[in-house]
Amino acid sequence: MDQQNTDIKLADKLNEDYHNLTNEISKVVIGQEDVVRLLLTSIFCQGHSLLVGVPGLAKTLLIHTIASAVNLSFNRIQFTPDLMPSDILGAETIDKDRNFRFIKGPIFANIILADEINRTPPKTQAALLEAMQEYSVTVAGVHYPLERPFYVLATQNPIEQEGTYPLPEAQLDRFMFNIQLDYPAYQSEVDIVKNTTSDKSHRVQEVLSGEQIVAYQHLVRRVPIADNVVEYAVSLVHKTRPNTNGASETANEFLEWGAGPRASQYLVLAAKCNALLNGKYSPDIEDVQAVAKPILRHRIVRNFKAEAEGITIDNVIEKLL
């Protein structure tokens, strides 16, 4: 009972801190409230996010602002075709006394912005994705743990695909969310232009510490959830798998491949966090539906018929919901 009361207080504190956090972020990043909510949800769920958007939509500014508001170390890695795994992880060098010394790479930070991850070869992508999965790196046979919280936001440009190395489905599955970043609304863009062309600078106040985020990550996993909500999440994922027992007609008609069990796990985790951010102590089916698109859109593959008829992945998910 004591643990339950403690968790309720912590849940109220998370809700309060979330609103303070979004207020601070909105001083610098105008609009994009849904994107900010999803990014913070993935941090509180110990997940990673893939952000897909055209250049110039303030992806770097957004993640840098979040890092400032939560007092976490931040590194940006610009992915290029000649980037090597050692450029990310670090490497052993010989010092003046002829001893081997490990020089840490940029991966050793709390928040990593992997800019244009599809611009680098698979070997380098795999080095980053291993760190995301294992929360550690191995260099020259030595194991180095990464400091928690550890969060990767990878970006992709959906337009320029020449000379890129698209992430395979198995690696895309490591990301909790695939977040689509759209152009800002007209009034938001007016405010952005006013803000960025004046001499004023907006400072973001620190709201959360790394220790508090880790505490909230544990809290999210302790949130109770009804069996019918878990069953709804699992059945939604089963509906995406064509030519199986639980498949929907939509999946059989338009999908080549469906989502795996990790999608069910992330639907439940994100629904728990979504409930807390809304001031609830337990998620319902609406919370699962609220996070379904960013969780499923990179885990299902359209077939030729869907592409020929112009049916998008989001259209398919809407039909399933």
Side-chain angles (χ1 to χ4, degrees):
M1 195 67 184
D2 287 347
Q3 181 65 57
Q4 193 178 0
N5 290 337
T6 305
D7 283 352
I8 287 172
K9 284 179 185 172
L10 198 56
D12 292 339
K13 183 79 171 71
L14 169 57
N15 185 262
E16 182 190 329
D17 284 341
Y18 166 69
H19 288 295
N20 292 338
L21 207 48
T22 51
N23 286 340
E24 286 301 314
I25 293 166
S26 66
K27 290 179 185 175
V28 178
V29 179
I30 295 164
Q32 309 295 7
E33 289 86 1
D34 292 343
V35 174
V36 169
R37 185 186 181 88
L38 287 172
L39 290 175
L40 293 175
T41 299
S42 60
I43 290 174
F44 293 138
C45 291
Q46 266 182 287
H48 307 285
S49 294
L50 182 67
L51 194 55
V52 181
V54 298
L57 294 183
K59 296 188 285 287
T60 307
L61 177 66
L62 173 58
I63 196 67
H64 195 283
T65 305
I66 290 174
S68 302
V70 293
N71 186 30
L72 296 176
S73 56
F74 166 77
N75 275 334
R76 176 179 179 269
I77 306 170
Q78 180 63 54
F79 281 74
T80 56
D82 58 351
L83 197 73
M84 299 295 288
S86 58
D87 296 329
I88 295 174
L89 307 180
E92 284 202 324
T93 60
I94 298 177
D95 63 19
K96 62 184 179 187
D97 299 321
R98 297 196 175 181
N99 295 319
F100 280 105
R101 195 160 65 91
F102 178 63
I103 305 293
K104 290 181 176 181
I107 195 81
F108 287 88
N110 296 119
I111 294 186
I112 304 295
L113 174 61
D115 221 352
E116 296 197 282
I117 192 173
N118 56 333
R119 291 243 169 264
T120 205
K123 188 177 181 181
T124 308
Q125 290 175 353
L128 175 73
L129 292 160
E130 182 190 357
M132 287 164 53
Q133 185 72 15
E134 307 298 332
Y135 293 95
S136 63
V137 300
T138 304
V139 178
V142 182
H143 195 68
Y144 299 96
L146 294 167
E147 190 187 343
R148 304 287 188 98
F150 176 70
Y151 173 67
V152 173
L153 175 80
T155 68
Q156 276 190 197
N157 173 358
I159 303 168
E160 234 183 317
Q161 294 303 327
E162 260 183 59
T164 61
Y165 306 84
L167 288 169
E169 271 67 30
Q171 292 187 349
L172 279 173
D173 197 45
R174 303 271 175 94
F175 290 97
M176 181 177 190
F177 287 141
N178 177 327
I179 303 169
Q180 305 284 355
L181 193 59
D182 287 329
Y183 292 110
Y186 176 80
Q187 192 52 51
S188 294
E189 192 162 346
V190 169
D191 295 338
I192 289 165
V193 173
K194 283 180 181 175
N195 259 21
T196 53
T197 53
S198 72
D199 200 24
K200 284 182 188 170
S201 63
H202 299 272
R203 285 188 64 80
V204 175
Q205 299 296 313
E206 183 189 310
V207 176
L208 281 179
S209 67
E211 292 78 22
Q212 286 172 296
I213 289 173
V214 172
Y216 290 149
Q217 288 174 343
H218 290 303
L219 171 69
V220 167
R221 289 176 177 272
R222 291 197 300 270
V223 168
I225 183 167
D227 286 350
N228 70 305
V229 181
V230 175
E231 285 160 12
Y232 175 80
V234 174
S235 77
L236 179 61
V237 172
H238 272 252
K239 282 182 187 176
T240 69
R241 299 170 186 166
N243 308 313
T244 60
N245 288 340
S248 66
E249 286 179 25
T250 302
N252 288 333
E253 190 176 0
F254 295 118
L255 294 182
E256 186 76 35
W257 202 254
R262 198 177 270 159
S264 304
Q265 294 166 343
Y266 279 148
L267 279 171
V268 168
L269 262 183
K272 286 180 174 189
C273 186
N274 195 68
L276 291 176
L277 299 186
N278 283 331
K280 298 185 291 184
Y281 301 121
S282 182
D284 49 33
I285 285 169
E286 284 73 22
D287 291 302
V288 177
Q289 292 171 334
V291 295
K293 274 188 189 176
I295 286 173
L296 293 176
R297 64 164 63 109
H298 56 303
R299 291 185 165 89
I300 58 181
V301 180
R302 291 179 301 164
N303 61 18
F304 179 75
K305 183 182 180 187
E307 289 181 29
E309 293 185 15
I311 304 285
T312 66
I313 289 288
D314 281 12
N315 294 152
V316 173
I317 297 169
E318 280 160 16
K319 285 174 187 283
L320 294 173
L321 289 171

